[in-house]
Amino acid sequence: MRARIHRGAHEVGGNCIELEARAQRIVLDIGHPITTAPGEDVPLPGVAGFDGSDDSLVGIVISHPHPDHFGLLPKVSESVPRYIGEAAADVLREAAFFSPFGLDVKPAGFLRHRQTIEIGPFRITPFLNDHSAFDAYSLLIDAEGRRLFYTGDIRAHGRKAGIFEELLRKPPENLDVLLMEGTHIRAESNCTERGASEKDVEDACVETFKSTEGMVLAMFSPQNIDRLVSMYRACVRSGRDLVVDLYAAAIAKATGRATIPQADWDRVSVYLPKSQKAKIIQAQAFERTDAVKPHRIYPEELVERRSELVTLFRGSMARELQQIGCLGGARVVWSMWHGYLRNDPGSKLTEFLEREEIPMVSHHASGHAYVPDLQRLVAALAPKRVVPIHSFAGDRFAEFFPRVDRRTDGEWWEV
Ligand SMILES: [Zn+2]
C-alpha cells in the first residue's frame, strides 16, 4: 500500500490523503483549508478520478463532519462513492438548510464503531473517537498486508473521553503507520501542558451563569454537540433554562440521540431569530417551526425571564435582542476558538459589546488532544512509524514521539 498526503502535512485542516493498493485508490477526507476563508474557491487536490472519469478511485471516506475534512466534497463527482458516519450525515444534511457548514453527502455506506467495511482492496475499520464534531472516527486501513491508522481529529478530554481510553486499552495491533493529528504541536508553544477539558468548561459556565445578573449569551457552534451538553448541564446546575435557536434544535434532533438536549426537554426552549424566520418563510419550510411550536419562546418572555436564561447567541442577533430589550445585565460567554473573534463578524461583535458595555468571558476547550494524551496514544498503538498530519509544526513531532517519519504534501510513500 502506498500513501500520499495531498494537504495537511504542513498545516492544520484541509486534510486529504490518497491511498493506493492493487492499482485502486481511496481518499481519506477532502477538507477545505482553514487558512483560506470559507466560500473562497480552492482547487481540488490532484487525485485522478474526482471528476468521475477514473474507476480506480473507489471511494472517499470522511472522518467527521467539519469543513476542514469534507469542505471540498461538493466539487467531486457524485459518481465517486462516499462514506461517513450515519449520524454525521444526518447532522450535515440538517445543517445545510441553515448554514454553509452543511451538505447532503449522499453516502454509499456508513462508518460504524469497530465494524469493518471493504471498499475495493481496502478493509476499513472505523473507531468512534472523542472530538468536537459529532459522530467522528479514526480509521484503520488494511491493504496488501500493511496497516495504517489515521487518527482523524481526536482528543481525550471531551464528553466521550471514555472512547479514547477504550482505544488505548484495546488498540489495533501491528500498525505500520500512525498518521496522527498534531494540532497542539505548534512552533510557539512548549506543547507539553494540558488545557481545559469539556468538564472544565461546564464548571466554569456554572460559576458564570450564577454570577450573571441578566441573560447569559452563549456563543458556541450548534454542531458542537459536546458543548451543547456542557451548556445544558451548566444550566441545570445553576438553575437556568437553555434557549436554543431552530438550527441548534434541528441539529440536536438529527443526532438521533435521546440523551442529547432536545427542544421538548423541560429546561429547553426554542427562539426563532429574525434571520431564521426569514429563511423559513423563503423556503416555505413551516414544518420546521411546527415541529417546535409548543417549545418556542417569544420576545416578551425573553425580557421577563432574562435572568433565568442562557440563550444561544450569534453576532447577527445582537441588534434584535437589543431592540427586544433583554440585554440589561447580560454577559457573553465566548465558547469557540478565539481566532474567530479576529475575523470580520467577530470584530464587529466585539465593537457592539464594548458600546453596549456587555462583558465577555471565554470558556472553551479544544477539540484536539493535548500532547501528553497523544504521547499515551503513541505508546498504546506502538506503530512502526508516526507520520505527522493536521499540524503547523510537523517538524517538532520528533521532540515528543519516537519513530517519526515526516512526509511532505504531494509525495508518494510506502506504508
Ligand atoms: Zn480538522
Side-chain angles (χ1 to χ4, degrees), residues 129-151:
N129 70 22
D130 182 20
H131 182 46
S132 49
F134 193 68
D135 200 23
Y137 294 88
S138 302
L139 301 165
L140 172 66
I141 318 291
D142 271 284
E144 293 186 313
R146 309 297 284 179
R147 305 195 102 187
L148 175 143
F149 189 85
Y150 168 47
T151 59

mmCIF file of all heavy atoms in Angstrom, residues 129-151:
data_model
loop_
_atom_site.group_PDB
_atom_site.id
_atom_site.type_symbol
_atom_site.label_atom_id
_atom_site.label_comp_id
_atom_site.label_asym_id
_atom_site.label_seq_id
_atom_site.Cartn_x
_atom_site.Cartn_y
_atom_site.Cartn_z
ATOM 1 N N ASN A 129 -14.446 8.219 17.868
ATOM 2 C CA ASN A 129 -13.487 8.902 18.741
ATOM 3 C C ASN A 129 -14.099 10.110 19.423
ATOM 4 O O ASN A 129 -15.262 10.468 19.203
ATOM 5 C CB ASN A 129 -12.187 9.214 17.990
ATOM 6 C CG ASN A 129 -12.339 10.297 16.939
ATOM 7 O OD1 ASN A 129 -13.264 11.107 17.008
ATOM 8 N ND2 ASN A 129 -11.435 10.328 15.979
ATOM 9 N N ASP A 130 -13.301 10.725 20.271
ATOM 10 C CA ASP A 130 -13.725 11.880 21.054
ATOM 11 C C ASP A 130 -13.226 13.130 20.335
ATOM 12 O O ASP A 130 -12.020 13.360 20.255
ATOM 13 C CB ASP A 130 -13.103 11.760 22.457
ATOM 14 C CG ASP A 130 -13.531 12.890 23.376
ATOM 15 O OD1 ASP A 130 -14.555 13.530 23.098
ATOM 16 O OD2 ASP A 130 -12.827 13.127 24.389
ATOM 17 N N HIS A 131 -14.175 13.905 19.773
ATOM 18 C CA HIS A 131 -13.807 15.135 19.067
ATOM 19 C C HIS A 131 -14.972 16.107 19.213
ATOM 20 O O HIS A 131 -16.065 15.724 19.607
ATOM 21 C CB HIS A 131 -13.501 14.814 17.593
ATOM 22 C CG HIS A 131 -13.073 16.000 16.778
ATOM 23 N ND1 HIS A 131 -12.142 16.915 17.225
ATOM 24 C CD2 HIS A 131 -13.454 16.435 15.543
ATOM 25 C CE1 HIS A 131 -11.977 17.851 16.299
ATOM 26 N NE2 HIS A 131 -12.762 17.590 15.276
ATOM 27 N N SER A 132 -14.745 17.363 18.849
ATOM 28 C CA SER A 132 -15.817 18.350 18.973
ATOM 29 C C SER A 132 -16.855 18.231 17.854
ATOM 30 O O SER A 132 -17.925 18.830 17.939
ATOM 31 C CB SER A 132 -15.219 19.754 18.994
ATOM 32 O OG SER A 132 -14.295 19.913 17.935
ATOM 33 N N ALA A 133 -16.558 17.479 16.804
ATOM 34 C CA ALA A 133 -17.575 17.173 15.787
ATOM 35 C C ALA A 133 -18.319 15.919 16.219
ATOM 36 O O ALA A 133 -17.736 15.023 16.839
ATOM 37 C CB ALA A 133 -16.928 16.927 14.427
ATOM 38 N N PHE A 134 -19.598 15.840 15.861
ATOM 39 C CA PHE A 134 -20.395 14.693 16.271
ATOM 40 C C PHE A 134 -20.115 13.505 15.357
ATOM 41 O O PHE A 134 -19.905 13.667 14.160
ATOM 42 C CB PHE A 134 -21.885 15.058 16.202
ATOM 43 C CG PHE A 134 -22.759 14.048 16.898
ATOM 44 C CD1 PHE A 134 -22.698 13.912 18.274
ATOM 45 C CD2 PHE A 134 -23.609 13.235 16.179
ATOM 46 C CE1 PHE A 134 -23.481 12.973 18.926
ATOM 47 C CE2 PHE A 134 -24.398 12.290 16.826
ATOM 48 C CZ PHE A 134 -24.343 12.160 18.199
ATOM 49 N N ASP A 135 -20.128 12.294 15.937
ATOM 50 C CA ASP A 135 -20.001 11.067 15.154
ATOM 51 C C ASP A 135 -18.692 11.077 14.339
ATOM 52 O O ASP A 135 -18.698 10.867 13.124
ATOM 53 C CB ASP A 135 -21.225 10.925 14.228
ATOM 54 C CG ASP A 135 -21.437 9.493 13.747
ATOM 55 O OD1 ASP A 135 -20.956 8.562 14.412
ATOM 56 O OD2 ASP A 135 -22.083 9.312 12.688
ATOM 57 N N ALA A 136 -17.590 11.314 15.038
ATOM 58 C CA ALA A 136 -16.268 11.410 14.408
ATOM 59 C C ALA A 136 -15.516 10.089 14.581
ATOM 60 O O ALA A 136 -15.681 9.409 15.585
ATOM 61 C CB ALA A 136 -15.468 12.541 15.049
ATOM 62 N N TYR A 137 -14.696 9.752 13.596
ATOM 63 C CA TYR A 137 -13.989 8.468 13.609
ATOM 64 C C TYR A 137 -12.505 8.616 13.316
ATOM 65 O O TYR A 137 -12.095 9.493 12.550
ATOM 66 C CB TYR A 137 -14.579 7.520 12.552
ATOM 67 C CG TYR A 137 -15.997 7.123 12.867
ATOM 68 C CD1 TYR A 137 -17.068 7.898 12.427
ATOM 69 C CD2 TYR A 137 -16.261 5.998 13.648
ATOM 70 C CE1 TYR A 137 -18.377 7.562 12.748
ATOM 71 C CE2 TYR A 137 -17.563 5.643 13.974
ATOM 72 C CZ TYR A 137 -18.619 6.432 13.520
ATOM 73 O OH TYR A 137 -19.908 6.096 13.846
ATOM 74 N N SER A 138 -11.736 7.697 13.920
ATOM 75 C CA SER A 138 -10.401 7.384 13.439
ATOM 76 C C SER A 138 -10.575 6.180 12.510
ATOM 77 O O SER A 138 -11.561 5.460 12.622
ATOM 78 C CB SER A 138 -9.468 7.020 14.592
ATOM 79 O OG SER A 138 -9.405 8.081 15.527
ATOM 80 N N LEU A 139 -9.611 5.974 11.609
ATOM 81 C CA LEU A 139 -9.797 4.930 10.590
ATOM 82 C C LEU A 139 -8.577 4.022 10.506
ATOM 83 O O LEU A 139 -7.447 4.497 10.350
ATOM 84 C CB LEU A 139 -10.022 5.591 9.224
ATOM 85 C CG LEU A 139 -11.230 6.533 9.124
ATOM 86 C CD1 LEU A 139 -11.132 7.393 7.864
ATOM 87 C CD2 LEU A 139 -12.538 5.750 9.139
ATOM 88 N N LEU A 140 -8.829 2.713 10.631
ATOM 89 C CA LEU A 140 -7.782 1.710 10.421
ATOM 90 C C LEU A 140 -7.935 1.179 8.996
ATOM 91 O O LEU A 140 -9.020 0.728 8.619
ATOM 92 C CB LEU A 140 -7.952 0.568 11.430
ATOM 93 C CG LEU A 140 -7.040 -0.655 11.228
ATOM 94 C CD1 LEU A 140 -5.581 -0.302 11.465
ATOM 95 C CD2 LEU A 140 -7.472 -1.803 12.142
ATOM 96 N N ILE A 141 -6.852 1.269 8.221
ATOM 97 C CA ILE A 141 -6.902 0.805 6.835
ATOM 98 C C ILE A 141 -5.946 -0.386 6.678
ATOM 99 O O ILE A 141 -4.749 -0.261 6.945
ATOM 100 C CB ILE A 141 -6.452 1.913 5.843
ATOM 101 C CG1 ILE A 141 -7.022 3.276 6.223
ATOM 102 C CG2 ILE A 141 -6.773 1.512 4.406
ATOM 103 C CD1 ILE A 141 -8.489 3.449 6.066
ATOM 104 N N ASP A 142 -6.493 -1.500 6.238
ATOM 105 C CA ASP A 142 -5.717 -2.707 5.952
ATOM 106 C C ASP A 142 -5.703 -2.932 4.448
ATOM 107 O O ASP A 142 -6.779 -2.979 3.846
ATOM 108 C CB ASP A 142 -6.429 -3.942 6.541
ATOM 109 C CG ASP A 142 -6.021 -4.222 7.957
ATOM 110 O OD1 ASP A 142 -4.919 -4.739 8.148
ATOM 111 O OD2 ASP A 142 -6.838 -3.917 8.857
ATOM 112 N N ALA A 143 -4.531 -3.094 3.862
ATOM 113 C CA ALA A 143 -4.465 -3.472 2.439
ATOM 114 C C ALA A 143 -3.080 -4.012 2.131
ATOM 115 O O ALA A 143 -2.080 -3.501 2.660
ATOM 116 C CB ALA A 143 -4.769 -2.268 1.545
ATOM 117 N N GLU A 144 -3.033 -5.006 1.296
ATOM 118 C CA GLU A 144 -1.767 -5.612 0.863
ATOM 119 C C GLU A 144 -0.849 -5.931 2.043
ATOM 120 O O GLU A 144 0.364 -5.756 1.959
ATOM 121 C CB GLU A 144 -1.043 -4.668 -0.123
ATOM 122 C CG GLU A 144 -1.796 -4.519 -1.440
ATOM 123 C CD GLU A 144 -1.032 -3.710 -2.475
ATOM 124 O OE1 GLU A 144 -0.504 -2.622 -2.143
ATOM 125 O OE2 GLU A 144 -0.963 -4.159 -3.630
ATOM 126 N N GLY A 145 -1.452 -6.400 3.136
ATOM 127 C CA GLY A 145 -0.672 -6.815 4.300
ATOM 128 C C GLY A 145 -0.064 -5.686 5.107
ATOM 129 O O GLY A 145 0.749 -5.918 5.992
ATOM 130 N N ARG A 146 -0.465 -4.451 4.810
ATOM 131 C CA ARG A 146 0.029 -3.303 5.579
ATOM 132 C C ARG A 146 -1.133 -2.664 6.338
ATOM 133 O O ARG A 146 -2.293 -2.779 5.929
ATOM 134 C CB ARG A 146 0.673 -2.259 4.655
ATOM 135 C CG ARG A 146 1.698 -2.818 3.701
ATOM 136 C CD ARG A 146 2.900 -3.428 4.378
ATOM 137 N NE ARG A 146 3.834 -2.433 4.889
ATOM 138 C CZ ARG A 146 4.959 -2.757 5.542
ATOM 139 N NH1 ARG A 146 5.254 -4.025 5.781
ATOM 140 N NH2 ARG A 146 5.775 -1.805 5.950
ATOM 141 N N ARG A 147 -0.784 -1.969 7.427
ATOM 142 C CA ARG A 147 -1.830 -1.365 8.274
ATOM 143 C C ARG A 147 -1.488 0.082 8.601
ATOM 144 O O ARG A 147 -0.419 0.376 9.152
ATOM 145 C CB ARG A 147 -1.961 -2.116 9.598
ATOM 146 C CG ARG A 147 -2.211 -3.575 9.494
ATOM 147 C CD ARG A 147 -2.670 -4.110 10.844
ATOM 148 N NE ARG A 147 -4.118 -4.305 10.832
ATOM 149 C CZ ARG A 147 -4.834 -4.645 11.909
ATOM 150 N NH1 ARG A 147 -4.252 -4.738 13.097
ATOM 151 N NH2 ARG A 147 -6.129 -4.831 11.803
ATOM 152 N N LEU A 148 -2.421 0.960 8.282
ATOM 153 C CA LEU A 148 -2.277 2.389 8.602
ATOM 154 C C LEU A 148 -3.441 2.810 9.481
ATOM 155 O O LEU A 148 -4.595 2.452 9.208
ATOM 156 C CB LEU A 148 -2.249 3.207 7.304
ATOM 157 C CG LEU A 148 -2.225 4.738 7.411
ATOM 158 C CD1 LEU A 148 -1.349 5.331 6.310
ATOM 159 C CD2 LEU A 148 -3.639 5.336 7.300
ATOM 160 N N PHE A 149 -3.141 3.534 10.535
ATOM 161 C CA PHE A 149 -4.192 4.067 11.410
ATOM 162 C C PHE A 149 -4.154 5.587 11.325
ATOM 163 O O PHE A 149 -3.142 6.214 11.636
ATOM 164 C CB PHE A 149 -3.965 3.608 12.852
ATOM 165 C CG PHE A 149 -5.121 3.929 13.784
ATOM 166 C CD1 PHE A 149 -6.209 3.060 13.882
ATOM 167 C CD2 PHE A 149 -5.115 5.083 14.556
ATOM 168 C CE1 PHE A 149 -7.276 3.341 14.737
ATOM 169 C CE2 PHE A 149 -6.179 5.374 15.412
ATOM 170 C CZ PHE A 149 -7.253 4.501 15.509
ATOM 171 N N TYR A 150 -5.274 6.151 10.867
ATOM 172 C CA TYR A 150 -5.403 7.606 10.713
ATOM 173 C C TYR A 150 -6.266 8.118 11.861
ATOM 174 O O TYR A 150 -7.409 7.715 12.000
ATOM 175 C CB TYR A 150 -6.056 7.885 9.357
ATOM 176 C CG TYR A 150 -6.546 9.295 9.111
ATOM 177 C CD1 TYR A 150 -5.751 10.407 9.404
ATOM 178 C CD2 TYR A 150 -7.801 9.516 8.556
ATOM 179 C CE1 TYR A 150 -6.217 11.693 9.150
ATOM 180 C CE2 TYR A 150 -8.269 10.793 8.294
ATOM 181 C CZ TYR A 150 -7.469 11.884 8.594
ATOM 182 O OH TYR A 150 -7.933 13.158 8.345
ATOM 183 N N THR A 151 -5.694 8.995 12.694
ATOM 184 C CA THR A 151 -6.449 9.432 13.882
ATOM 185 C C THR A 151 -7.665 10.282 13.510
ATOM 186 O O THR A 151 -8.615 10.349 14.283
ATOM 187 C CB THR A 151 -5.571 10.288 14.824
ATOM 188 O OG1 THR A 151 -5.090 11.436 14.093
ATOM 189 C CG2 THR A 151 -4.426 9.492 15.407
#
